[in-house]
């Protein structure tokens, strides 16, 4: 196990390159199972979830080559119709590989996916989509196998109870090769879904409505391998910018357009930060102690992203006033709060609501990351704290951030990675 040792107090200055989005490369790699020939993905992030995805593809029999930030997949030889549970349990995104397998083979066996413990995280919407696409689902939410007797060529339409990102992605993966027209209502609209649609349409799919609540998919008989550049990671970019919010200084993220972080811009300016945007760059400068965000309430895209809530809370912990946070997407988005309180933060939590009373100073803590974004939030808080923080559970952070200690050291932070005794 590893820990990050952070000595807070250094303001951060400099540029951070932003690479492909974790939540885009995962569905794209799953989609490569549906394509004949080679799919090539550029601008890929170097993350443990990507390593897991590559392992799953190779386990299924695909050929995968990695050259720096380019991943090339040829899935022509894939025959396996089962994803072992210990692979499914490693991350939430594994369920997308199951959906792609069903789409290709009309059958598949697996079990519940893993992922951050943000609450119940059921898969009922995924099973609903599979049934809507003609599969009979045997089993429960723990272990299930699915089989489709025939692919009926017909018009089908269904509505998602929640605009679930993963269920929308699985619906797309299942519909692209199913004869007939599939209409998905109340679909999620995240940019990463638009990226998946762009790749599939380039490969020969017929999907319309990207970015809207209604997707229409005309099934095609096959898809061919193409080259695709993964869109930048808006959550990683937002995280790096917010580090200047807790530690002070001025951070510029490069390779990301402001349009991907539109919902985050107003609260950043409300806090008194100087936010400057340039083509494919965003710069945040903290000139004085942040003002409170007043209220931040998450909702599906294009609303305020749940994946940035913990990091905004780290900034709010230092603000000159009180901020109300409401997470309307997940039930347990506050796993970092007890550790922040240990560092001197004052936070009241009731269900999916948290009230943060900002403090001028926080102090080093012995903290443990319990999920990816909570870990990032604790790191941000530690960068601005007085004294030393020991942050364990770094494996959660490595799922979504590349060598995060190197990034913050480049900016002037004092962050070391050490093996835990
Ligand atoms: C994706 O998770 C992301 N993960 C999450 O990012 C992100 O927080 C989330 O979308 C919301 O934007 C990946 O893309 C790999 P959902 P996903 O299905 O698809 C409920 C990160 O930090 N729900 O949109 O699992 C669910 O419980 C991760 O990068 C059901 O009820 O999210 C939640 O309350 C964390 N039944 C809501 O929908 C289902 O079958 C939204 O979940 C599925 C979901």
């Amino acid at each position: 196990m590893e820990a990050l040792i952070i000595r807070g107090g250094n303001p951060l200055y400099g540029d951070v390159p932003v690479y492909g989005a974790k939540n885009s490369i995962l569905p794209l790699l799953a989609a490569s199972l549906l394509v004949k020939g080679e799919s090539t993905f550029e601008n890929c992030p170097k993350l443990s979830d990507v390593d897991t995805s590559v392992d799953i593809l190779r386990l299924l029999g695909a050929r995968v080559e990695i050259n720096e930030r380019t991943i090339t997949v040829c899935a022509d030889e894939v025959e396996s119709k089962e994803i072992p549970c210990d692979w499914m349990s490693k991350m939430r995104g594994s369920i997308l590989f199951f959906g792609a397998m069903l789409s290709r083979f009309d059958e598949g066996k697996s079990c519940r996916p893993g992922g951050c413990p943000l609450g119940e995280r059921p898969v009922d919407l995924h099973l609903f989509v599979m049934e809507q696409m003609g599969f009979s689902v045997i089993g429960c939410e723990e272990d299930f196998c699915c089989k489709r007797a025939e692919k009926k060529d017909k018009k089908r339409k269904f509505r998602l109870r929640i605009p679930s990102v993963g269920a929308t992605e699985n619906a797309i993966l299942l519909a692209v090769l199913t004869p007939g027209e599939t209409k998905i209502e109340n679909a999620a609209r995240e940019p990463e879904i638009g990226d998946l649609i762009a790749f599939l349409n380039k490969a020969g799919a017929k999907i319309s409505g990207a970015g809207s609540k209604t997707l229409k998919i005309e099934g095609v008989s096959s898809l061919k391998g193409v080259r695709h550049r993964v869109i930048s990671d808006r959550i990683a970019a937002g995280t790096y910018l917010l580090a200047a919010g807790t530690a002070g200084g001025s951070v510029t993220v490069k390779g990301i357009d402001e349009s991907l972080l539109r919902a985050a811009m107003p609260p950043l300016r409300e806090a008194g930060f100087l936010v400057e945007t340039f083509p494919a760059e965003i710069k945040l400068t903290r000139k004085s102690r942040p003002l409170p965000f007043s209220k931040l309430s998450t909702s599906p895209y294009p609303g305020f992203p749940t994946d940035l809530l913990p990091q905004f809370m780290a900034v709010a912990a230092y603000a000159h006033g009180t901020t109300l946070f409401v997470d309307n997407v997940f039930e347990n988005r506050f796993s970092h709060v007890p550790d922040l309180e240990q560092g001197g933060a004052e936070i009241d939590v009731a269900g999916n609501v948290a009230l943060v009373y900002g403090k001028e100073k926080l102090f080093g803590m012995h903290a443990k990351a319990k999920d990816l974004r909570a870990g990032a939030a604790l790191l941000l808080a530690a960068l601005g704290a007085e004294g030393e923080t020991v942050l364990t559970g770094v494996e959660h952070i490595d799922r979504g951030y590349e060598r995060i200690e190197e990034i913050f050291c480049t900016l002037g932070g004092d962050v070391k990675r050490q093996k835990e005794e």
Side-chain angles (χ1 to χ4, degrees):
M1 302 295 275
E2 294 181 316
L4 293 178
I5 312 300
I6 306 118
R7 291 202 62 75
N10 300 1
L12 305 176
Y13 292 94
D15 299 347
V16 184
V18 179
Y19 299 109
K22 167 179 85 77
N23 293 347
S24 189
I25 188 59
L26 265 48
L28 287 169
L29 289 171
S32 70
L33 284 168
L34 304 181
V35 167
K36 287 189 180 10
E38 283 191 350
S39 302
T40 300
F41 302 107
E42 298 170 333
N43 191 39
C44 295
K46 297 177 180 179
L47 305 169
S48 58
D49 272 9
V50 175
D51 299 340
T52 302
S53 301
V54 169
D55 290 345
I56 291 174
L57 286 171
R58 285 174 172 157
L59 188 85
L60 297 176
R63 173 171 54 79
V64 185
E65 284 151 28
I66 302 175
N67 176 9
E68 227 349 69
R69 292 184 182 282
T70 298
I71 298 178
T72 301
V73 184
C74 179
D76 294 353
E77 307 303 315
V78 170
E79 291 175 352
S80 173
K81 299 180 183 63
E82 179 171 358
I83 298 179
C85 287
D86 55 351
W87 288 97
M88 279 292 278
S89 60
K90 288 177 187 277
M91 59 181 189
R92 180 74 180 184
S94 303
I95 198 166
L96 302 170
F97 291 84
F98 183 61
M101 175 191 286
L102 291 181
S103 184
R104 175 159 170 183
F105 296 115
D106 292 328
E107 62 177 295
K109 186 176 183 312
S110 198
C111 60
R112 185 183 186 87
C116 293
L118 302 172
E120 170 58 25
R121 303 203 82 182
V123 293
D124 60 305
L125 291 174
H126 294 261
L127 300 178
F128 164 74
V129 163
M130 290 163 194
E131 285 164 349
Q132 293 298 311
M133 294 308 298
F135 286 85
S136 55
V137 178
I138 304 149
C140 60
E141 288 226 344
E142 292 309 321
D143 289 290
F144 43 85
C145 53
C146 309
K147 198 169 177 61
R148 177 161 61 175
E150 55 168 325
K151 290 186 194 179
K152 290 196 181 105
D153 182 343
K154 66 174 192 173
K155 273 182 184 273
R156 62 190 71 76
K157 178 169 80 171
F158 54 86
R159 177 183 176 76
L160 292 176
R161 171 173 60 86
I162 296 174
S164 155
V165 171
T168 301
E169 288 164 344
N170 257 341
I172 292 167
L173 294 171
L174 284 163
V176 280
L177 294 174
T178 299
E181 179 187 280
T182 303
K183 200 175 246 189
I184 306 159
E185 294 184 331
N186 199 31
R189 302 160 60 189
E190 273 66 6
E192 293 75 26
I193 294 173
D195 205 28
L196 174 64
I197 291 171
F199 165 72
L200 287 168
N201 281 343
K202 238 189 280 184
K206 292 177 182 165
I207 308 167
S208 57
S212 79
K213 290 185 175 181
T214 302
L215 297 177
K216 195 166 84 176
I217 301 168
E218 190 63 46
V220 295
S221 55
S222 68
L223 298 168
K224 63 177 178 20
V226 289
R227 184 173 283 269
H228 182 76
R229 181 177 176 79
V230 184
I231 59 163
S232 298
D233 195 320
R234 58 197 169 97
I235 305 301
T239 304
Y240 303 138
L241 289 174
L242 288 162
T246 53
S250 182
V251 170
T252 301
V253 288
K254 291 183 168 269
I256 181 117
D257 193 80
E258 179 252 346
S259 60
L260 283 175
L261 274 168
R262 190 152 292 138
M265 294 293 134
L268 290 176
R269 293 188 167 110
E270 184 188 1
F273 299 132
L274 173 62
V275 182
E276 300 164 272
T277 57
F278 312 92
E281 281 186 28
I282 307 171
K283 182 177 184 178
L284 185 145
T285 303
R286 169 173 150 165
K287 303 161 84 68
S288 58
R289 186 180 170 192
L291 299 170
F293 300 113
S294 64
K295 181 181 179 186
L296 285 176
S297 183
T298 68
S299 60
Y301 194 88
F304 183 82
T306 175
D307 289 346
L308 278 179
L309 182 150
Q311 300 91 311
F312 268 83
M313 190 180 281
V315 175
Y318 285 98
H320 197 293
T322 304
T323 301
L324 178 68
F325 288 89
V326 183
D327 191 18
N328 298 303
V329 178
F330 289 112
E331 312 95 271
N332 177 27
R333 190 38 107 180
F334 301 133
S335 69
H336 53 292
V337 167
D339 289 320
L340 285 182
E341 289 175 316
Q342 191 211 116
E346 189 181 343
I347 305 173
D348 288 342
V349 173
N352 68 334
V353 178
L355 200 53
V356 178
Y357 306 87
K359 300 289 177 193
E360 186 152 13
K361 261 189 192 176
L362 294 185
F363 302 91
M365 50 204 125
H366 273 253
K368 178 174 173 51
K370 297 172 193 68
D371 67 70
L372 165 53
R373 308 303 174 185
L378 291 167
L379 176 49
L380 296 190
L383 287 165
E386 192 174 287
E388 179 176 278
T389 291
V390 177
L391 176 55
T392 57
V394 186
E395 67 278 6
H396 289 287
I397 300 176
D398 291 339
R399 289 188 49 215
Y401 297 93
E402 289 190 30
R403 305 299 299 166
I404 199 155
E405 72 277 13
E406 289 170 21
I407 287 174
F408 287 118
C409 285
T410 307
L411 297 173
D414 182 347
V415 186
K416 293 182 182 60
R417 182 186 288 255
Q418 79 172 17
K419 289 254 182 271
E420 265 188 302
E421 285 77 52

